[in-house]
Amino acid sequence: MPTYVTESARRLPVYGAYDLVVAGGGPAGVAAAVSGARNGLKVLLLEQIGCLGGMSTGGLVPCLAPYSQGATAPLIRGIAGEILSRLKAAGGNGEPGVEQWPAIDAEKLKLIYDDLVNRAGVTTLFFTFVSAVLRERGRIRGLVIENKGGRQVVLGKAFVDATGDGDVAARSGVRFVKGDSKGRMMGVTLCFTVAGIDPDGYRRWLRKFPDNVGKNRFLREAVAAGRLPDWDDAEHRMIADIALQPGYRAYNYGHVFNVDGTNPDDLARAMMRGREIAHSFMALARRYIPGMKNAVLTATALLPGVRETRRIRGVDALDERLFRSGRITDDAIAVYDYPVDLHGSDKKAKTVLEEQPAGFLYGIPYRIMVPAGGPANLLVAGRCVSADRIGQSSVRTMPACFAMGEAAGVAARFAVRQGVPFGAVDPAALRQVLAKQGANIPSVR
């Protein structure tokens, strides 16, 4: 079998030309596209599946990480706050009284995202992948896309990589790192939803196991007794168990290890093992968990919960020193207080969720989104920004991704209208516009 084959040169049709092209329709991508369009740009949003929202919808993540961990008022606002307010108004944030970790009704949230981009005038393409980047004199001229329409090109003046994996950045030659010093990455989770639960019975189980420590001890004992299967590359672990409606719950459950989210073979294994984990939990639950006798598995996610892959090399980095210092830089586009949240890379490693001291805050710098030495008209938003593992474990959450995406859309306005590289956008002007849009812009300290 040959190692390579040669593809014949051919002319590619141009789908369109835009001020801003956003690759990836998760929280960062939606916020970037809406923010850019509201600032007068012609925007195209590309998404690999058939809905917007990434892990918040297609990934069935059961809840949004806190918009504030310790502060009384939400720290992440702007478009992020608008989305949460609309989700609450639609009754899509779970049982009453759950404020800090609001549940996600994925179907209602899909409609909210659709309405946001459509009202802003964003053009959206679903089932579309970026397969190549066209560079010209230090800038990106266009992206080669693949979808049911075939192989095409979209041209743009500015580009935002919100793929989560830094796909556009990597294809543009931007330097990046993965995982820890040995390249090991956090375990991957395939979330799922369950209906037909008797709420009263389930509450008895929750009173017996009120936290994940007890639940995971229950699961380990079940594995030891042979009631749950044991795998070398995966584990049963309760991460989050959230009530969406009475009798209907969503589970962030289990880890699949040794998965590189940029490797298609690893992704296939993660999806198959994840479904096996979900079904084996259900078999256990119907027999041994009160209220679950007649429960049914209603859905496993379309997307695997990949927590880390590429982290770009940026002009600046959210490293552990900056994260723990609580310093607010002059280019901070948001302030956040979510702690270190590192999931294990194998069955022996512990999942670490730190408790931060009272009043802990840190700023999210704009410059961590600017690739060092990359194309002048490319910005990165989301979990693949420039950070070490400590900083990334906090800033990868959806509220922070909304904030970075909104900042990317405003930065694109300056880059396009002033004809300057993203690295030359004035942070003070950027922060001023974000504040007018309702974002929570912290004072420099």
Side-chain angles (χ1 to χ4, degrees):
M1 185 180 70
T3 306
Y4 297 98
V5 296
T6 301
E7 183 180 18
S8 301
R10 54 178 170 151
R11 298 172 68 190
L12 297 179
V14 175
Y15 175 81
Y18 298 84
D19 295 320
L20 172 61
V21 178
V22 180
V30 168
V34 171
S35 180
R38 288 177 176 178
N39 277 275
L41 302 182
K42 182 183 178 184
V43 180
L44 175 66
L45 177 58
L46 308 172
E47 171 50 40
Q48 64 176 326
I49 62 173
C51 66
L52 298 173
M55 294 310 300
S56 66
T57 52
L60 291 181
V61 170
C63 57
L64 290 157
Y67 280 46
S68 298
Q69 179 77 2
T72 54
L75 292 171
I76 303 294
R77 301 174 198 166
I79 290 175
E82 182 180 342
I83 290 168
L84 181 57
S85 294
R86 293 189 60 173
L87 185 64
K88 289 180 176 180
N93 68 310
E95 292 184 338
V98 180
E99 291 295 326
Q100 193 173 39
W101 292 82
I104 299 171
D105 183 322
E107 294 305 317
K108 290 178 179 176
L109 188 52
K110 288 175 189 177
L111 283 178
I112 291 168
Y113 288 138
D114 287 348
D115 186 64
L116 276 172
V117 297
N118 289 335
R119 285 179 182 271
V122 175
T123 300
T124 303
L125 286 180
F126 290 129
F127 306 113
T128 299
F129 282 85
V130 176
S131 58
V133 175
L134 305 179
R135 289 194 59 169
E136 193 174 88
R137 293 189 293 275
R139 299 174 65 86
I140 296 177
R141 185 184 178 208
L143 304 180
V144 178
I145 60 172
E146 305 267 3
N147 56 27
K148 284 289 187 179
R151 188 173 169 90
Q152 304 168 79
V153 173
V154 291
L155 304 177
K157 298 175 183 177
F159 298 83
V160 171
D161 183 341
T163 61
D165 297 311
D167 291 335
V168 175
R171 287 169 172 77
S172 301
V174 174
R175 294 179 300 149
F176 61 86
V177 295
K178 287 182 183 177
D180 63 13
S181 59
K182 296 181 180 179
R184 296 173 301 189
M185 286 166 267
M186 288 185 266
V188 168
T189 298
L190 192 70
C191 297
F192 56 91
T193 55
V194 178
I197 301 171
D198 172 41
D200 292 333
Y202 200 80
R203 276 192 286 269
R204 290 199 302 272
W205 189 68
L206 291 177
R207 284 195 291 270
K208 186 176 181 181
F209 300 106
D211 55 33
N212 284 344
V213 174
K215 292 173 186 174
N216 286 319
R217 184 173 61 251
F218 168 84
L219 295 172
R220 288 193 299 271
E221 291 171 355
V223 171
R227 294 191 291 268
L228 280 175
D230 193 12
W231 301 281
D232 292 335
D233 68 340
E235 69 174 356
H236 291 272
R237 176 179 287 270
M238 187 70 75
I239 302 165
D241 167 14
I242 303 294
L244 302 179
Q245 298 292 338
Y248 180 43
R249 302 184 78 87
Y251 291 82
N252 185 342
Y253 178 97
H255 284 137
V256 184
F257 301 113
N258 303 319
V259 174
D260 180 344
T262 67
N263 182 311
D265 295 318
D266 287 355
L267 288 173
R269 176 171 58 85
M271 294 297 291
M272 291 180 183
R273 183 68 82 204
R275 287 189 281 267
E276 195 175 1
I277 289 171
H279 281 272
S280 62
F281 169 76
M282 289 302 299
L284 175 84
R286 290 189 192 101
R287 289 191 63 186
Y288 297 101
I289 296 180
M292 295 284 277
K293 181 180 179 180
N294 299 313
V296 292
L297 180 66
T298 53
T300 53
L302 298 174
L303 293 170
V306 176
R307 295 178 171 90
E308 64 171 332
T309 51
R310 301 183 184 103
R311 306 191 307 274
I312 67 159
R313 296 290 193 186
V315 171
D316 198 356
L318 180 61
D319 57 17
E320 182 174 7
R321 174 195 55 81
L322 181 58
F323 172 79
R324 295 195 186 281
S325 72
R327 188 162 64 89
I328 308 297
T329 57
D330 66 353
D331 64 333
I333 50 84
V335 62
Y336 202 29
D337 64 353
Y338 192 68
V340 172
D341 186 1
L342 271 172
H343 290 242
S345 56
D346 57 44
K347 292 174 74 170
K348 296 179 181 178
K350 292 182 179 180
T351 293
V352 177
L353 181 61
E354 289 187 355
E355 288 190 15
Q356 300 296 352
F360 169 79
L361 296 171
Y362 72 92
I364 302 176
Y366 168 70
R367 296 183 183 96
I368 69 173
M369 300 192 292
V370 181
N377 59 340
L378 174 65
L379 206 60
V380 174
R383 64 172 168 82
C384 47
V385 293
S386 180
D388 64 8
R389 294 191 85 212
I390 296 297
Q392 192 268 357
S393 74
S394 170
V395 83
R396 67 181 174 84
T397 58
M398 286 186 275
C401 289
F402 283 131
M404 289 184 282
E406 183 170 5
V410 175
R413 159 192 162 172
F414 287 110
V416 170
R417 289 184 178 176
Q418 298 175 1
V420 299
F422 274 122
V425 170
D426 179 10
L430 172 63
R431 283 159 50 89
Q432 186 176 36
V433 173
L434 284 169
K436 288 181 179 178
Q437 292 183 179
N440 181 24
I441 302 303
S443 300
V444 177
R445 66 181 192 192

